[in-house]
PDB file of all heavy atoms in Angstrom:
ATOM      1  N   ASN V1373       0.574  19.160  -7.919  1.00 95.00           N
ATOM      2  CA  ASN V1373       0.170  20.110  -8.904  1.00 95.00           C
ATOM      3  C   ASN V1373       1.293  20.700  -9.707  1.00 95.00           C
ATOM      4  O   ASN V1373       1.237  22.004 -10.008  1.00 95.00           O
ATOM      5  CB  ASN V1373      -0.814  21.191  -8.217  1.00 95.00           C
ATOM      6  CG  ASN V1373      -1.920  20.542  -7.548  1.00 95.00           C
ATOM      7  OD1 ASN V1373      -2.592  19.658  -8.083  1.00 95.00           O
ATOM      8  ND2 ASN V1373      -2.159  21.104  -6.452  1.00 95.00           N
ATOM      9  N   GLY V1374       2.280  19.951 -10.069  1.00 93.00           N
ATOM     10  CA  GLY V1374       3.400  20.509 -10.885  1.00 93.00           C
ATOM     11  C   GLY V1374       4.453  21.295 -10.102  1.00 93.00           C
ATOM     12  O   GLY V1374       5.474  21.741 -10.694  1.00 93.00           O
ATOM     13  N   LYS V1375       4.234  21.534  -8.773  1.00 97.00           N
ATOM     14  CA  LYS V1375       5.225  22.435  -7.994  1.00 97.00           C
ATOM     15  C   LYS V1375       5.929  21.597  -7.052  1.00 97.00           C
ATOM     16  O   LYS V1375       5.342  20.670  -6.341  1.00 97.00           O
ATOM     17  CB  LYS V1375       4.413  23.557  -7.369  1.00 97.00           C
ATOM     18  CG  LYS V1375       3.701  24.474  -8.290  1.00 97.00           C
ATOM     19  CD  LYS V1375       3.257  25.647  -7.703  1.00 97.00           C
ATOM     20  CE  LYS V1375       2.504  26.605  -8.579  1.00 97.00           C
ATOM     21  NZ  LYS V1375       3.306  27.121  -9.727  1.00 97.00           N
ATOM     22  N   LEU V1376       7.198  21.901  -6.852  1.00 98.00           N
ATOM     23  CA  LEU V1376       8.055  21.209  -5.816  1.00 98.00           C
ATOM     24  C   LEU V1376       7.644  21.699  -4.534  1.00 98.00           C
ATOM     25  O   LEU V1376       7.601  22.911  -4.164  1.00 98.00           O
ATOM     26  CB  LEU V1376       9.530  21.592  -6.045  1.00 98.00           C
ATOM     27  CG  LEU V1376      10.490  20.939  -5.072  1.00 98.00           C
ATOM     28  CD1 LEU V1376      10.586  19.355  -5.219  1.00 98.00           C
ATOM     29  CD2 LEU V1376      11.931  21.524  -5.292  1.00 98.00           C
ATOM     30  N   VAL V1377       7.221  20.705  -3.625  1.00 98.00           N
ATOM     31  CA  VAL V1377       6.888  21.047  -2.265  1.00 98.00           C
ATOM     32  C   VAL V1377       7.741  20.516  -1.156  1.00 98.00           C
ATOM     33  O   VAL V1377       7.585  20.852   0.029  1.00 98.00           O
ATOM     34  CB  VAL V1377       5.315  20.655  -2.042  1.00 98.00           C
ATOM     35  CG1 VAL V1377       4.461  21.504  -2.940  1.00 98.00           C
ATOM     36  CG2 VAL V1377       5.116  19.232  -2.144  1.00 98.00           C
ATOM     37  N   GLY V1378       8.514  19.569  -1.471  1.00 98.00           N
ATOM     38  CA  GLY V1378       9.382  18.911  -0.521  1.00 98.00           C
ATOM     39  C   GLY V1378      10.354  17.920  -1.026  1.00 98.00           C
ATOM     40  O   GLY V1378      10.421  17.731  -2.270  1.00 98.00           O
ATOM     41  N   LEU V1379      10.938  17.129  -0.170  1.00 98.00           N
ATOM     42  CA  LEU V1379      11.959  16.054  -0.609  1.00 98.00           C
ATOM     43  C   LEU V1379      11.763  14.989   0.401  1.00 98.00           C
ATOM     44  O   LEU V1379      11.956  15.249   1.698  1.00 98.00           O
ATOM     45  CB  LEU V1379      13.384  16.582  -0.699  1.00 98.00           C
ATOM     46  CG  LEU V1379      14.433  15.597  -1.112  1.00 98.00           C
ATOM     47  CD1 LEU V1379      14.331  15.386  -2.652  1.00 98.00           C
ATOM     48  CD2 LEU V1379      15.775  16.012  -0.689  1.00 98.00           C
ATOM     49  N   LEU V1380      11.600  13.758  -0.012  1.00 98.00           N
ATOM     50  CA  LEU V1380      11.562  12.634   0.898  1.00 98.00           C
ATOM     51  C   LEU V1380      12.983  11.968   0.888  1.00 98.00           C
ATOM     52  O   LEU V1380      13.465  11.585  -0.164  1.00 98.00           O
ATOM     53  CB  LEU V1380      10.485  11.578   0.464  1.00 98.00           C
ATOM     54  CG  LEU V1380      10.519  10.347   1.255  1.00 98.00           C
ATOM     55  CD1 LEU V1380      10.002  10.655   2.724  1.00 98.00           C
ATOM     56  CD2 LEU V1380       9.457   9.326   0.727  1.00 98.00           C
ATOM     57  N   HIS V1381      13.601  12.004   1.982  1.00 96.00           N
ATOM     58  CA  HIS V1381      14.870  11.406   2.080  1.00 96.00           C
ATOM     59  C   HIS V1381      14.776  10.089   2.756  1.00 96.00           C
ATOM     60  O   HIS V1381      13.994   9.925   3.831  1.00 96.00           O
ATOM     61  CB  HIS V1381      15.806  12.319   3.022  1.00 96.00           C
ATOM     62  CG  HIS V1381      17.302  11.920   3.093  1.00 96.00           C
ATOM     63  ND1 HIS V1381      18.008  11.794   1.982  1.00 96.00           N
ATOM     64  CD2 HIS V1381      18.019  11.524   4.124  1.00 96.00           C
ATOM     65  CE1 HIS V1381      19.288  11.417   2.287  1.00 96.00           C
ATOM     66  NE2 HIS V1381      19.288  11.264   3.658  1.00 96.00           N
ATOM     67  N   LEU V1382      15.437   9.011   2.242  1.00 93.00           N
ATOM     68  CA  LEU V1382      15.288   7.633   2.726  1.00 93.00           C
ATOM     69  C   LEU V1382      15.479   7.515   4.236  1.00 93.00           C
ATOM     70  O   LEU V1382      14.829   6.801   4.860  1.00 93.00           O
ATOM     71  CB  LEU V1382      16.122   6.642   1.966  1.00 93.00           C
ATOM     72  CG  LEU V1382      15.986   5.179   2.240  1.00 93.00           C
ATOM     73  CD1 LEU V1382      14.556   4.754   1.993  1.00 93.00           C
ATOM     74  CD2 LEU V1382      16.908   4.464   1.388  1.00 93.00           C
ATOM     75  N   HIS V1383      16.535   8.253   4.705  1.00 90.00           N
ATOM     76  CA  HIS V1383      16.807   8.084   6.118  1.00 90.00           C
ATOM     77  C   HIS V1383      15.679   8.495   7.074  1.00 90.00           C
ATOM     78  O   HIS V1383      15.359   7.797   7.990  1.00 90.00           O
ATOM     79  CB  HIS V1383      18.058   8.928   6.570  1.00 90.00           C
ATOM     80  CG  HIS V1383      19.399   8.401   6.003  1.00 90.00           C
ATOM     81  ND1 HIS V1383      20.438   9.174   5.518  1.00 90.00           N
ATOM     82  CD2 HIS V1383      19.738   7.074   5.669  1.00 90.00           C
ATOM     83  CE1 HIS V1383      21.354   8.433   5.140  1.00 90.00           C
ATOM     84  NE2 HIS V1383      21.055   7.130   5.143  1.00 90.00           N
TER      85      HIS V1383
END
Side-chain angles (χ1 to χ4, degrees):
N1373 300 316
K1375 298 194 185 291
L1376 181 68
V1377 296
L1379 181 76
L1380 180 63
H1381 187 60
L1382 186 58
H1383 291 148

